[in-house]
Amino acid sequence: MARRVVDLTLPIRSGMARFPTYWHPDVEVGLLGRIESEGRETRRLVLGTHSGTHCDAPRHFLPGGAGVDALDLATLIGPARVLNLSHRAPGGCVEDEELRAALGGRVPERLALRYDWSLRWESEAYYRDHPYLSRQAARWLVEGGLKLLAMDSPTPDNPADGRNAPEDSPVHKILLGAGVILVEYLDNLAAVGRPEIQLIVLPLKIEGADGSPCRVVALEED
């Protein structure tokens, strides 16, 4: 059986884009050990738990919620449906009716939303105009048994529903409150040629953390 591996992970580098708030640090990758002096290369990493391609654990928004080290590996690895929503206009809202029609009324355990938004990575529009899920769409996914939601955008929420909005990040709270793992900032979903894949999401095992950068890959099998 032939197998194709597609890397869905943004590269980590110094100065890469980050969510524009003070609680997300600038990413630094610094050379410490050098071949010519120390006889080996080593590097110092400074990055946040939500730098680049990463997953959110419930603790990100829920006091006392599970940390990333407690996430079930069986949920992070397994069959997933890739839903092509690349026709969605910037700033567009994905409603539950559209998801019902596209998914045939059945919610998969793992779902990856392809907006092709990673093409805008590190542009001004990336954080400002991305498509998002309505509250009712999030509730429908939860009611249908969703366990993991991945996307090639920075958040499932309306970009207007941030910290100072009347309701802060309601879609995050609906999904994380139901134990759904969120995987954000995917890259290269357009390279996936099939709607059904094996998805592998591997966060760092950071004790008690609210999230972690991940290496995410899709496996396509003939």
Short mmCIF file of all heavy atoms in Angstrom, two decimals, residues 14-56:
data_model
loop_
_atom_site.label_atom_id
_atom_site.label_comp_id
_atom_site.label_asym_id
_atom_site.label_seq_id
_atom_site.Cartn_x
_atom_site.Cartn_y
_atom_site.Cartn_z
N SER A 14 13.22 32.70 13.99
CA SER A 14 13.28 33.96 14.71
C SER A 14 12.47 35.03 14.00
O SER A 14 12.53 35.16 12.77
CB SER A 14 14.73 34.44 14.84
OG SER A 14 15.46 33.64 15.74
N GLY A 15 11.70 35.78 14.79
CA GLY A 15 10.94 36.89 14.24
C GLY A 15 9.69 36.50 13.48
O GLY A 15 9.06 37.37 12.86
N MET A 16 9.29 35.24 13.51
CA MET A 16 8.09 34.82 12.80
C MET A 16 6.87 35.55 13.37
O MET A 16 6.90 36.08 14.49
CB MET A 16 7.90 33.31 12.92
CG MET A 16 7.60 32.83 14.33
SD MET A 16 7.58 31.03 14.47
CE MET A 16 6.03 30.64 13.65
N ALA A 17 5.80 35.58 12.59
CA ALA A 17 4.58 36.25 13.03
C ALA A 17 4.03 35.57 14.29
O ALA A 17 4.20 34.37 14.49
CB ALA A 17 3.54 36.23 11.93
N ARG A 18 3.38 36.36 15.10
CA ARG A 18 2.71 35.85 16.30
C ARG A 18 1.45 36.67 16.51
O ARG A 18 1.30 37.75 15.95
CB ARG A 18 3.61 35.96 17.52
CG ARG A 18 4.04 37.41 17.81
CD ARG A 18 4.62 37.52 19.20
NE ARG A 18 5.10 38.86 19.50
CZ ARG A 18 4.34 39.87 19.91
NH1 ARG A 18 3.02 39.71 20.04
NH2 ARG A 18 4.86 41.06 20.20
N PHE A 19 0.54 36.14 17.34
CA PHE A 19 -0.66 36.90 17.64
C PHE A 19 -0.25 38.22 18.26
O PHE A 19 0.57 38.25 19.19
CB PHE A 19 -1.57 36.11 18.59
CG PHE A 19 -2.99 36.58 18.56
CD1 PHE A 19 -3.87 36.10 17.61
CD2 PHE A 19 -3.44 37.52 19.47
CE1 PHE A 19 -5.19 36.54 17.57
CE2 PHE A 19 -4.75 37.98 19.44
CZ PHE A 19 -5.63 37.49 18.48
N PRO A 20 -0.79 39.34 17.78
CA PRO A 20 -0.27 40.66 18.17
C PRO A 20 -0.75 41.16 19.53
O PRO A 20 -1.45 42.16 19.63
CB PRO A 20 -0.76 41.57 17.03
CG PRO A 20 -2.03 40.92 16.57
CD PRO A 20 -1.82 39.44 16.71
N THR A 21 -0.37 40.43 20.57
CA THR A 21 -0.66 40.85 21.95
C THR A 21 0.55 40.55 22.82
O THR A 21 1.39 39.71 22.47
CB THR A 21 -1.88 40.11 22.53
OG1 THR A 21 -1.64 38.69 22.45
CG2 THR A 21 -3.15 40.44 21.77
N TYR A 22 0.64 41.22 23.95
CA TYR A 22 1.81 41.08 24.80
C TYR A 22 1.93 39.71 25.44
O TYR A 22 3.01 39.33 25.89
CB TYR A 22 1.81 42.17 25.89
CG TYR A 22 0.73 42.02 26.94
CD1 TYR A 22 0.92 41.22 28.05
CD2 TYR A 22 -0.49 42.69 26.81
CE1 TYR A 22 -0.07 41.07 29.01
CE2 TYR A 22 -1.48 42.55 27.76
CZ TYR A 22 -1.26 41.74 28.86
OH TYR A 22 -2.25 41.61 29.80
N TRP A 23 0.83 38.95 25.50
CA TRP A 23 0.93 37.64 26.14
C TRP A 23 1.36 36.54 25.17
O TRP A 23 1.35 35.37 25.50
CB TRP A 23 -0.38 37.26 26.85
CG TRP A 23 -1.61 37.23 25.98
CD1 TRP A 23 -2.05 36.18 25.22
CD2 TRP A 23 -2.58 38.27 25.83
NE1 TRP A 23 -3.21 36.51 24.58
CE2 TRP A 23 -3.57 37.79 24.95
CE3 TRP A 23 -2.71 39.55 26.35
CZ2 TRP A 23 -4.67 38.56 24.56
CZ3 TRP A 23 -3.80 40.31 25.97
CH2 TRP A 23 -4.76 39.82 25.10
N HIS A 24 1.74 36.93 23.95
CA HIS A 24 2.37 36.01 23.01
C HIS A 24 3.77 36.55 22.72
O HIS A 24 3.91 37.63 22.13
CB HIS A 24 1.55 35.89 21.73
CG HIS A 24 0.24 35.20 21.91
ND1 HIS A 24 0.11 33.83 21.93
CD2 HIS A 24 -1.00 35.70 22.10
CE1 HIS A 24 -1.16 33.51 22.11
NE2 HIS A 24 -1.85 34.62 22.22
N PRO A 25 4.82 35.83 23.10
CA PRO A 25 6.17 36.38 22.98
C PRO A 25 6.71 36.33 21.56
O PRO A 25 6.26 35.53 20.72
CB PRO A 25 6.99 35.45 23.88
CG PRO A 25 6.28 34.14 23.81
CD PRO A 25 4.81 34.49 23.74
N ASP A 26 7.67 37.20 21.29
CA ASP A 26 8.42 37.11 20.04
C ASP A 26 9.22 35.81 20.03
O ASP A 26 9.76 35.38 21.05
CB ASP A 26 9.39 38.29 19.92
CG ASP A 26 8.67 39.61 19.70
OD1 ASP A 26 7.59 39.61 19.10
OD2 ASP A 26 9.20 40.64 20.15
N VAL A 27 9.26 35.19 18.88
CA VAL A 27 9.99 33.92 18.75
C VAL A 27 11.46 34.21 18.46
O VAL A 27 11.79 35.04 17.61
CB VAL A 27 9.38 33.06 17.63
CG1 VAL A 27 10.24 31.81 17.38
CG2 VAL A 27 7.96 32.66 17.99
N GLU A 28 12.33 33.52 19.18
CA GLU A 28 13.76 33.65 18.98
C GLU A 28 14.38 32.26 18.85
O GLU A 28 14.07 31.37 19.64
CB GLU A 28 14.42 34.37 20.17
CG GLU A 28 13.91 35.78 20.43
CD GLU A 28 14.51 36.37 21.68
OE1 GLU A 28 15.61 35.91 22.09
OE2 GLU A 28 13.89 37.27 22.27
N VAL A 29 15.23 32.10 17.86
CA VAL A 29 16.02 30.88 17.70
C VAL A 29 17.47 31.33 17.60
O VAL A 29 17.89 31.88 16.58
CB VAL A 29 15.61 30.09 16.45
CG1 VAL A 29 16.42 28.79 16.35
CG2 VAL A 29 14.11 29.78 16.46
N GLY A 30 18.22 31.13 18.68
CA GLY A 30 19.57 31.65 18.75
C GLY A 30 20.62 30.56 18.80
O GLY A 30 20.45 29.56 19.51
N LEU A 31 21.70 30.75 18.08
CA LEU A 31 22.80 29.79 18.06
C LEU A 31 23.68 29.99 19.29
O LEU A 31 24.15 31.10 19.56
CB LEU A 31 23.62 29.98 16.78
CG LEU A 31 24.73 28.97 16.51
CD1 LEU A 31 24.14 27.58 16.29
CD2 LEU A 31 25.53 29.40 15.29
N LEU A 32 23.90 28.92 20.05
CA LEU A 32 24.75 28.98 21.25
C LEU A 32 26.04 28.19 21.04
O LEU A 32 27.14 28.72 21.11
CB LEU A 32 23.99 28.45 22.47
CG LEU A 32 22.80 29.28 22.96
CD1 LEU A 32 22.18 28.62 24.18
CD2 LEU A 32 23.23 30.69 23.31
N GLY A 33 25.89 26.89 20.82
CA GLY A 33 27.07 26.07 20.54
C GLY A 33 27.44 26.15 19.06
O GLY A 33 26.56 26.11 18.20
N ARG A 34 28.75 26.30 18.78
CA ARG A 34 29.22 26.44 17.40
C ARG A 34 30.26 25.36 17.09
O ARG A 34 31.11 25.05 17.95
CB ARG A 34 29.83 27.83 17.18
CG ARG A 34 28.82 28.97 17.32
CD ARG A 34 29.49 30.31 17.39
NE ARG A 34 28.52 31.41 17.37
CZ ARG A 34 27.83 31.82 18.44
NH1 ARG A 34 28.00 31.21 19.63
NH2 ARG A 34 26.96 32.82 18.33
N ILE A 35 30.19 24.83 15.90
CA ILE A 35 31.14 23.78 15.50
C ILE A 35 32.58 24.26 15.64
O ILE A 35 33.45 23.55 16.16
CB ILE A 35 30.87 23.33 14.05
CG1 ILE A 35 29.48 22.67 13.92
CG2 ILE A 35 31.96 22.37 13.57
CD1 ILE A 35 29.34 21.35 14.63
N GLU A 36 32.82 25.50 15.22
CA GLU A 36 34.21 25.99 15.19
C GLU A 36 34.78 26.27 16.57
O GLU A 36 36.00 26.34 16.75
CB GLU A 36 34.31 27.26 14.32
CG GLU A 36 33.45 28.43 14.78
CD GLU A 36 32.03 28.40 14.22
OE1 GLU A 36 31.59 27.32 13.78
OE2 GLU A 36 31.39 29.46 14.24
N SER A 37 33.94 26.41 17.59
CA SER A 37 34.45 26.70 18.93
C SER A 37 34.09 25.62 19.94
O SER A 37 34.95 25.13 20.67
CB SER A 37 33.93 28.07 19.43
OG SER A 37 32.52 28.13 19.32
N GLU A 38 32.82 25.22 20.00
CA GLU A 38 32.39 24.20 20.98
C GLU A 38 32.39 22.79 20.41
O GLU A 38 32.20 21.81 21.14
CB GLU A 38 30.99 24.52 21.52
CG GLU A 38 30.93 25.70 22.48
CD GLU A 38 31.01 27.04 21.78
OE1 GLU A 38 30.50 27.14 20.63
OE2 GLU A 38 31.59 27.98 22.36
N GLY A 39 32.56 22.67 19.10
CA GLY A 39 32.61 21.34 18.50
C GLY A 39 31.24 20.73 18.26
O GLY A 39 31.13 19.58 17.86
N ARG A 40 30.20 21.49 18.47
CA ARG A 40 28.83 21.03 18.23
C ARG A 40 27.91 22.24 18.11
O ARG A 40 28.25 23.32 18.60
CB ARG A 40 28.32 20.12 19.34
CG ARG A 40 27.93 20.82 20.63
CD ARG A 40 28.84 20.65 21.83
NE ARG A 40 29.19 19.32 22.16
CZ ARG A 40 30.45 18.94 22.35
NH1 ARG A 40 31.45 19.83 22.22
NH2 ARG A 40 30.74 17.71 22.70
N GLU A 41 26.76 22.06 17.47
CA GLU A 41 25.76 23.13 17.40
C GLU A 41 24.64 22.87 18.40
O GLU A 41 24.14 21.75 18.52
CB GLU A 41 25.15 23.23 16.00
CG GLU A 41 26.01 23.98 15.01
CD GLU A 41 25.25 24.42 13.77
OE1 GLU A 41 24.01 24.21 13.72
OE2 GLU A 41 25.88 24.97 12.86
N THR A 42 24.27 23.93 19.15
CA THR A 42 23.08 23.90 19.99
C THR A 42 22.38 25.26 19.84
O THR A 42 23.03 26.26 19.51
CB THR A 42 23.39 23.66 21.48
OG1 THR A 42 24.22 24.74 21.96
CG2 THR A 42 24.11 22.34 21.68
N ARG A 43 21.09 25.28 20.10
CA ARG A 43 20.32 26.50 19.96
C ARG A 43 19.43 26.75 21.17
O ARG A 43 19.01 25.82 21.84
CB ARG A 43 19.46 26.45 18.69
CG ARG A 43 20.26 26.74 17.42
CD ARG A 43 19.51 26.38 16.16
NE ARG A 43 20.26 26.80 14.98
CZ ARG A 43 21.33 26.17 14.49
NH1 ARG A 43 21.77 25.07 15.10
NH2 ARG A 43 21.95 26.63 13.43
N ARG A 44 19.16 28.00 21.40
CA ARG A 44 18.24 28.44 22.45
C ARG A 44 16.93 28.85 21.79
O ARG A 44 16.92 29.63 20.84
CB ARG A 44 18.84 29.63 23.21
CG ARG A 44 17.92 30.28 24.22
CD ARG A 44 18.68 31.41 24.92
NE ARG A 44 17.84 32.12 25.88
CZ ARG A 44 17.17 33.23 25.61
NH1 ARG A 44 17.24 33.76 24.38
NH2 ARG A 44 16.44 33.82 26.52
N LEU A 45 15.82 28.32 22.31
CA LEU A 45 14.50 28.63 21.78
C LEU A 45 13.73 29.49 22.77
O LEU A 45 13.68 29.19 23.96
CB LEU A 45 13.69 27.36 21.52
CG LEU A 45 14.27 26.33 20.55
CD1 LEU A 45 13.34 25.12 20.46
CD2 LEU A 45 14.47 26.94 19.17
N VAL A 46 13.12 30.56 22.25
CA VAL A 46 12.17 31.35 23.01
C VAL A 46 10.89 31.39 22.18
O VAL A 46 10.89 31.92 21.06
CB VAL A 46 12.66 32.78 23.28
CG1 VAL A 46 11.59 33.58 24.03
CG2 VAL A 46 13.96 32.77 24.07
N LEU A 47 9.85 30.80 22.67
CA LEU A 47 8.59 30.77 21.95
C LEU A 47 7.45 30.55 22.94
O LEU A 47 7.67 30.15 24.08
CB LEU A 47 8.57 29.70 20.86
CG LEU A 47 8.54 28.22 21.24
CD1 LEU A 47 8.24 27.39 19.99
CD2 LEU A 47 9.89 27.76 21.78
N GLY A 48 6.25 30.84 22.51
CA GLY A 48 5.08 30.68 23.36
C GLY A 48 4.39 29.36 23.11
O GLY A 48 4.67 28.65 22.13
N THR A 49 3.45 29.04 23.96
CA THR A 49 2.69 27.80 23.81
C THR A 49 1.75 27.85 22.60
O THR A 49 1.21 26.82 22.20
CB THR A 49 1.90 27.50 25.08
OG1 THR A 49 1.19 28.67 25.50
CG2 THR A 49 2.82 27.05 26.20
N HIS A 50 1.57 29.05 22.03
CA HIS A 50 0.70 29.20 20.86
C HIS A 50 1.47 29.80 19.68
O HIS A 50 0.89 30.50 18.85
CB HIS A 50 -0.53 30.05 21.22
CG HIS A 50 -1.30 29.46 22.35
ND1 HIS A 50 -2.37 28.61 22.17
CD2 HIS A 50 -1.14 29.55 23.69
CE1 HIS A 50 -2.84 28.22 23.34
NE2 HIS A 50 -2.10 28.78 24.27
N SER A 51 2.75 29.50 19.60
CA SER A 51 3.58 29.97 18.49
C SER A 51 3.45 29.03 17.30
O SER A 51 3.60 27.82 17.44
CB SER A 51 5.05 30.04 18.92
OG SER A 51 5.25 30.99 19.93
N GLY A 52 3.16 29.60 16.13
CA GLY A 52 3.07 28.79 14.93
C GLY A 52 2.00 27.72 15.03
O GLY A 52 0.99 27.87 15.72
N THR A 53 2.19 26.63 14.30
CA THR A 53 1.25 25.52 14.33
C THR A 53 1.23 24.93 15.73
O THR A 53 2.26 24.51 16.26
CB THR A 53 1.66 24.45 13.30
OG1 THR A 53 1.78 25.07 12.01
CG2 THR A 53 0.65 23.34 13.25
N HIS A 54 0.05 24.91 16.35
CA HIS A 54 -0.03 24.49 17.75
C HIS A 54 -1.41 23.93 18.07
O HIS A 54 -2.34 24.06 17.27
CB HIS A 54 0.27 25.68 18.68
CG HIS A 54 -0.79 26.73 18.65
ND1 HIS A 54 -0.79 27.75 17.74
CD2 HIS A 54 -1.90 26.91 19.42
CE1 HIS A 54 -1.85 28.53 17.94
NE2 HIS A 54 -2.55 28.03 18.95
N CYS A 55 -1.53 23.33 19.23
CA CYS A 55 -2.85 22.90 19.69
C CYS A 55 -3.18 23.59 21.00
O CYS A 55 -2.30 23.95 21.79
CB CYS A 55 -2.93 21.38 19.83
SG CYS A 55 -1.99 20.67 21.18
N ASP A 56 -4.48 23.80 21.19
CA ASP A 56 -5.02 24.37 22.43
C ASP A 56 -5.57 23.27 23.30
O ASP A 56 -6.36 22.43 22.84
CB ASP A 56 -6.17 25.34 22.13
CG ASP A 56 -5.74 26.60 21.42
OD1 ASP A 56 -4.53 26.80 21.23
OD2 ASP A 56 -6.64 27.38 21.04
#
